[in-house]
Amino acid sequence: MFKGIKILFIITILVFCNKFAFAQSKAGQEGFAILNLYNSAPMTAKGLNFVPRFIEDAPTSIANPATLNPTLNNRISLTYTDIFAGSYQGAIHYTRTFEKFGNFGFALQYINYGEFLLTEENGDVMGTFSAHDYMFNIAWGKQIENNIYLGINFKPMFSKYESYSSTTLAVDVSAMWSSPSKSWQIGAVLKNIGRQVQSFANQRDTLPLDLQIGVSKKFKHAPIVLYIVADNLTQWDIRGDDALNPRTSKELDGSETTESSFSAFMDKGFRHLRFAIDILPSKYLNLSLGYSYRQRKEMAVTDAFSLTGLSYGFQVFYKNYTIAYARSEYHNYGSPNYITLSYKF
């Protein structure tokens, strides 16, 4: 176990140091929305876009290519998501093992942002236009040593907004360690290494580089799997300013009330953490629940009951078929629903 943790630690330090070679953007303040959306219902239910565990699910494994393995051979998944205000997301994922070359995953994700009015500066309507994002995934994963696995995900992205277009190339690098009993599994990924090669109107945007480290634990005498994932580790303070809830406020007597250093430290730290649980009551059913403190803090409405920050869903298995549904409680006034259908040939 300690050998595996040591190797993962070294890999994490190496990829973390490499972050200085790439442009950075503050979490939540970058473009490339397609990179921040969940790609399937099973991942949405956990509230994770990086799952540190070997799961027999094509989209989950492509998002963490180190988990690609022969048990995923010939699996296909289709996902549909109604996002907000007429926009929607679709995805198709396929995994295949080639005996001589290793384990591969192929995917296409698509976002349609809907129709928009095309107007002149004075407000005259000239027509309508649409906006789309496309992202391809070519993932490869392989076991390189006992209980140690590596993976790479190549992600070309193409965007078309009215007459403007953009092309971006990105790579994810991930590593996994699993205990011999498979109960403990630890993973790390450096996501979105790359750059825009064709930009909108000569305005080049930076990719949201993201280092994530996660751990999962399956209990021996209970049908439960726990997950803890830390994300956005290339930057400690990912908080934004909130004019409605300032951290320094003036009282009526002119004195100032400031957030304590301990509260600030805890707030900054927990914004990096995501928690999830799988409950496996039978081989035909999987229930999932996730929680994001950061989403709760950024999107909850003050003084109003809200489930913001929670995500939940289920998977039903029947023979070679799987159907999954998930909902991410994004905001009081709207939350996306995900449906994924999967089949093993």
Side-chain angles (χ1 to χ4, degrees), residues 180-230:
S181 66
K182 309 297 184 184
S183 60
W184 286 97
Q185 295 181 6
I186 302 172
V189 63
L190 186 63
K191 306 185 73 169
N192 309 326
I193 306 168
R195 62 177 297 175
Q196 238 180 354
V197 295
Q198 178 190 358
S199 59
F200 296 111
N202 298 318
Q203 179 62 50
R204 180 165 288 152
D205 295 319
T206 57
L207 282 166
L209 192 69
D210 184 8
L211 174 65
Q212 299 190 31
I213 300 174
V215 59
S216 63
K217 166 64 175 176
K218 186 178 189 302
F219 290 88
K220 184 177 181 179
H221 300 294
I224 292 174
V225 181
L226 295 180
Y227 304 85
I228 300 177
V229 173

Side-chain angles (χ1 to χ4, degrees), residues 58-248:
T60 302
S61 297
I62 291 174
N64 179 8
T67 62
L68 287 168
N69 65 86
T71 65
L72 293 164
N73 185 41
N74 255 356
R75 290 178 181 265
I76 188 169
S77 294
L78 299 174
T79 297
Y80 175 81
T81 311
D82 63 323
I83 307 177
F84 299 105
S87 59
Y88 61 88
Q89 174 188 8
I92 180 170
H93 296 80
Y94 176 69
T95 50
R96 181 69 184 266
T97 295
F98 297 93
E99 186 175 348
K100 293 184 179 180
F101 304 103
N103 310 292
F104 288 82
F106 308 92
L108 169 63
Q109 290 179 251
Y110 167 75
I111 300 179
N112 183 337
Y113 295 102
E115 295 290 324
F116 301 86
L117 291 178
L118 180 64
T119 65
E120 295 282 6
E121 292 182 357
N122 61 7
D124 290 342
V125 178
M126 306 300 294
T128 62
F129 69 93
S130 60
H132 309 85
D133 282 340
Y134 304 84
M135 182 169 72
F136 296 91
N137 295 72
I138 303 173
W140 170 85
K142 188 176 182 180
Q143 182 177 1
I144 62 169
E145 191 178 322
N146 288 340
N147 305 320
I148 300 293
Y149 307 80
L150 290 181
I152 299 174
N153 194 358
F154 177 56
K155 306 185 298 188
M157 290 173 284
F158 307 94
S159 300
K160 180 72 173 179
Y161 304 161
E162 203 259 328
S163 60
Y164 301 94
S165 60
S166 168
T167 302
T168 304
L169 301 178
V171 172
D172 301 340
V173 180
S174 69
M176 285 289 296
W177 171 85
S178 176
S179 66
S181 66
K182 309 297 184 184
S183 60
W184 286 97
Q185 295 181 6
I186 302 172
V189 63
L190 186 63
K191 306 185 73 169
N192 309 326
I193 306 168
R195 62 177 297 175
Q196 238 180 354
V197 295
Q198 178 190 358
S199 59
F200 296 111
N202 298 318
Q203 179 62 50
R204 180 165 288 152
D205 295 319
T206 57
L207 282 166
L209 192 69
D210 184 8
L211 174 65
Q212 299 190 31
I213 300 174
V215 59
S216 63
K217 166 64 175 176
K218 186 178 189 302
F219 290 88
K220 184 177 181 179
H221 300 294
I224 292 174
V225 181
L226 295 180
Y227 304 85
I228 300 177
V229 173
D231 60 14
N232 290 295
L233 295 179
T234 59
Q235 182 175 322
W236 168 242
D237 188 0
I238 58 174
R239 302 192 301 178
D241 295 326
D242 185 354
L244 298 177
N245 298 284
R247 299 185 182 94
T248 299

